[in-house]
Amino acid sequence: MSPLKMGSKKVRPITTEELSGRSTALGQALETGGAELDPLQVREAAAVIDKIRERTSKTGGHTVVALAGATGSGKSSLFNALVGSTVAVVGARRPTTARPIAAVWGDEDATELLDWLSVAGRHHVDAAGEPDKGSGAVGSLDGLVLLDLPDFDSRVSSHREEAERILALVDVFVWVTDPQKYADARLHDDYLRALSTHDTVTVVVLNQSDRLTGDQLAQVRSDLARLTSDDGIGGVQVIATSATSSAGVDELRTRLATAVAGQNAARHRLAADVRASARRLRAGVSDREPSVSDKADHELVDALARAAGVPTVVAAVERDYRNQAWGRTGWPFTRWVRAVRPDPLKRLRLNARDASEEKLAVTASDVRSVLGRSSLPPPSPAARSAVALATRRLGDDAAHGLPNRWAESVADAATPPGPELADALDQAVVGTSLRMRVPVWWGVFGVLQLLLAAVAVAGLLWLVVLSVLGWLALPQPDTPKWGPLPIPFLMLTGGLLLGILLALVARVLARTGARRRGARVRKRLLDAITTVAHERIVAPVRAVLDRHRATRDALDRAAA
Ligand SMILES: Nc1nc2c(ncn2[C@@H]2O[C@H](COP(=O)(O)OP(=O)(O)O)[C@@H](O)[C@H]2O)c(=O)[nH]1
Ligand SMILES: [Mg+2]
């Protein structure tokens, strides 16, 4: 039920819990979306929240009603008519009312409330002021705090500001206009339209009705009703009054008595403030947010991997594998060649220092403790721009359809500052173990190579012994033969040829092995890079989108 129109309009009362729930929701929206919402609107919303806390903490259950309107409409005259004595100064010379004046009905102390309203002029109306109506009776104004405001169109700016200040705090607005000014743009555009959310606490009064004939009055009344409903305030009845003849003053009094008896106007006004504020803020939030997959996509990971030097590391690992494979399984007579080649992993400082470890093993901690970061070459401009492109694309996709400020936050989240991302990538590479088991075939081939070499050397020695004996013309022992060929000859040539053959096979195996090992290391590195992409880019972007959703939900709850 509206606090103003008993039974005439179905407006449900607003409980304290509901009001505080809405206020809390508005506060949550400011918390989650404060940085991305319009700063001015955020300040206004924060002021509404403060006001709710302050207004609802005031004891006494008063209803604060303001008589507001243009200069000379008769606010002060109506105020006096309602009070029953001349309290406010009425004047033909404008402007008259400089400071608001309050009239308080009933015994309840309104000091705290009036202090909060900063209204110094106070007048107490006791029950005697209402001859027919004892305190507590139906239609009593007991609990009413009526304010006569300075003109909202006053030539004096401090008067206008004072009127605005009070209007922000009162529970019920009584807009007083007259036959000359009822269509005034200021009243309709600046006030009624702007406060259309506050229709349940709005009363429109056409004063000076005594200046109109019956027909004219009906005409003006319906005109004003139409203008008011064009302003967005539907169903507000226009009360025609005359402060001079007292016509309609009782109707206005009854209307105010209804508001006072309902004790709900303050909550209605504050809830309307929350709703209006939440609706304004809601314009800065989208109805939905783009869905962003939890997984970093392939293009982004690929770009990051290139920027992190993954191809360089993989190539080094493959080269290292091949070098070592050849070193261990190659032909022993030419192995020394390998010894003079530089170690590719050592060059990248990704190689373990520990002599007991295999060459391919590296632990994150050794490198980090010694160097802090790898000495991978810095990413090429092409790799850097690929990262920029991939992150921008992700940011654009995630920001699609969001209001500007949110889109900017998403873009910022998608592009962490340069050194931060580069360091994280470097750490990911350094922290990835390149350790792998030494392949079994290296050992087998190595032993076979040694055996074959030993056989060849033995054959050679045998032949040397035989030729020395021949040269010295000493009797030669029988040389065993296999077919027509002597065994020592077979040992020498067989050992050499088989060794070379085995080395060739090992070379082929080493190439495939290197590729496979490279692929496995690449996968490990990519996993680490994917984690970086998720932690540094995808998760921050999703966090912004989550805040966006939370803000929207909170605003919808506040404005519901
Ligand atoms: N005829 C007529 N004159 C009124 C009425 N109400 C106020 N006035 C006159 O209009 C002028 C302005 O009144 P006032 O109450 O000071 O208006 P305010 O500026 O809105 O406070 C005064 O000269 C009043 O006597 C009314 O209902 N009928
Ligand atoms: Mg006045």
Side-chain angles (χ1 to χ4, degrees):
M1 192 182 71
S2 160
L4 297 176
K5 291 167 284 173
M6 214 181 254
S8 68
K9 195 178 174 191
K10 288 243 170 348
V11 180
R12 49 185 191 81
I14 291 179
T15 62
T16 320
E17 291 71 38
E18 183 183 347
L19 179 62
S20 80
R22 284 172 188 274
S23 174
T24 308
L26 187 61
Q28 283 166 351
L30 298 189
E31 243 168 63
T32 54
E36 284 82 9
L37 297 168
D38 179 67
L40 182 69
Q41 291 177 359
V42 166
R43 270 202 300 283
E44 282 171 2
V48 167
I49 294 168
D50 284 348
K51 179 170 71 176
I52 291 173
R53 190 170 27 76
E54 287 163 8
R55 177 67 181 93
T56 52
S57 72
K58 301 288 170 282
T59 50
H62 288 100
T63 301
V64 183
V65 177
L67 297 173
T71 206
S73 55
K75 299 180 292 297
S76 301
S77 307
L78 269 182
F79 180 86
N80 289 338
L82 287 163
V83 170
S85 60
T86 309
V87 175
V89 182
V90 174
R93 283 185 54 153
R94 315 274 108 217
T96 312
T97 311
R99 308 276 311 153
I101 300 172
V104 182
W105 276 257
D107 302 328
E108 199 106 49
D109 185 18
T111 315
E112 197 196 357
L113 181 60
L114 289 168
D115 286 349
W116 177 65
L117 291 164
S118 300
V119 173
R122 302 170 188 189
H123 174 81
H124 185 252
V125 186
D126 43 34
E130 297 178 85
D132 317 337
K133 291 147 191 162
S135 169
V138 177
S140 159
L141 293 180
D142 208 342
L144 171 66
V145 174
L146 186 67
L147 300 177
D148 179 26
L149 297 197
D151 316 322
F152 64 42
D153 60 350
S154 173
R155 278 180 279 112
V156 186
S157 67
S158 64
H159 293 188
R160 293 198 303 270
E161 283 157 19
E162 185 63 357
E164 295 271 350
R165 183 184 72 77
I166 302 268
L167 283 172
L169 303 176
V170 301
D171 303 333
V172 174
F173 309 104
V174 176
W175 300 103
V176 182
T177 186
D178 60 64
Q180 270 99 55
K181 293 208 184 110
Y182 73 90
D184 182 41
R186 235 202 116 107
L187 170 68
H188 292 282
D189 297 347
D190 295 357
Y191 293 97
L192 291 179
R193 199 177 290 269
L195 288 167
S196 60
T197 32
H198 293 60
D199 57 341
T200 57
V201 288
T202 296
V203 178
V204 177
V205 169
L206 178 68
N207 191 37
Q208 306 190 10
S209 60
D210 55 288
R211 291 170 180 271
L212 299 172
T213 64
D215 285 353
Q216 286 170 328
L217 179 60
Q219 173 68 44
V220 170
R221 251 178 107 152
S222 76
D223 248 15
L224 180 52
R226 183 181 49 76
L227 288 170
T228 310
S229 104
D230 286 352
D231 293 333
I233 302 179
V236 167
Q237 281 168 356
V238 175
I239 304 177
T241 60
S242 165
T244 35
S245 75
S246 291
V249 173
D250 274 346
E251 191 189 347
L252 178 58
R253 189 194 305 272
T254 312
R255 192 69 72 86
L256 298 186
T258 311
V260 172
Q263 293 204 342
N264 213 322
R267 288 197 289 272
H268 265 281
R269 192 260 143 92
L270 296 171
D273 282 345
V274 173
R275 200 176 303 128
S277 182
R279 282 188 191 159
R280 275 197 297 276
L281 287 167
R282 183 65 175 75
V285 177
S286 281
D287 288 342
R288 64 187 66 81
E289 40 288 308
S291 62
V292 169
S293 139
D294 198 30
K295 288 226 175 88
D297 73 356
H298 175 72
E299 194 181 325
L300 177 62
V301 171
D302 197 58
L304 290 177
R306 267 192 290 150
V310 167
T312 315
V313 176
V314 170
V317 164
E318 289 182 2
R319 243 193 337 273
D320 184 74
Y321 180 99
R322 282 196 304 270
N323 286 351
Q324 291 207 51
W326 294 338
R328 286 161 187 255
T329 63
W331 204 39
F333 302 105
T334 53
R335 270 187 209 174
W336 57 271
V337 175
R338 192 195 65 88
V340 296
R341 284 214 190 129
D343 181 338
L345 286 180
K346 214 177 279 165
R347 237 183 6 219
L348 297 176
R349 304 205 201 171
L350 286 172
N351 176 274
R353 309 281 116 182
D354 192 343
S356 69
E357 289 279 2
E358 289 300 332
K359 270 283 184 61
L360 279 179
V362 67
T363 60
S365 54
D366 335 322
V367 184
R368 212 175 290 124
S369 63
V370 181
L371 303 160
R373 50 188 303 158
S374 71
S375 301
L376 284 167
S380 68
R384 263 205 302 271
S385 66
V387 171
L389 201 71
T391 52
R392 194 167 336 117
R393 194 180 43 80
L394 183 122
D396 286 351
D397 287 352
H400 185 74
L402 294 185
N404 274 349
R405 286 176 212 274
W406 289 100
E408 275 165 28
S409 285
V410 167
D412 286 352
T415 47
E420 208 175 276
L421 183 61
D423 285 353
L425 289 173
D426 216 58
Q427 291 306 318
V429 172
V430 166
T432 302
S433 168
L434 306 180
R435 194 191 303 252
M436 293 271 179
R437 266 189 308 109
V438 173
V440 180
W441 70 268
W442 287 9
V444 175
F445 273 54
V447 169
L448 278 177
Q449 283 292 19
L450 285 180
L451 280 175
L452 289 172
V455 167
V457 169
L460 179 67
L461 287 178
W462 193 338
L463 289 176
V464 168
V465 167
L466 286 179
S467 63
V468 168
L469 288 178
W471 182 62
L472 293 175
L474 289 172
Q476 292 200 5
D478 243 1
T479 308
K481 288 190 175 160
W482 191 68
L485 299 170
I487 293 289
F489 171 77
L490 281 177
M491 282 169 71
L492 176 62
T493 52
L496 291 180
L497 286 176
L498 282 176
I500 289 170
L501 194 68
L502 196 65
L504 288 176
V505 172
R507 233 179 151 76
V508 174
L509 287 180
R511 276 185 209 284
T512 20
R515 268 199 300 277
R516 205 172 303 139
R517 177 158 294 188
R520 258 189 279 163
V521 165
R522 190 179 148 75
K523 182 168 178 325
R524 279 187 196 174
L525 288 167
L526 285 187
D527 286 350
I529 300 279
T530 305
T531 309
V532 170
H534 182 81
E535 281 173 2
R536 304 285 167 147
I537 299 170
V538 179
V541 164
R542 285 171 66 92
V544 175
L545 296 180
D546 286 349
R547 280 197 297 113
H548 180 266
R549 179 180 306 111
T551 306
R552 183 184 55 240
D553 289 349
L555 287 176
D556 285 347
R557 265 182 285 131

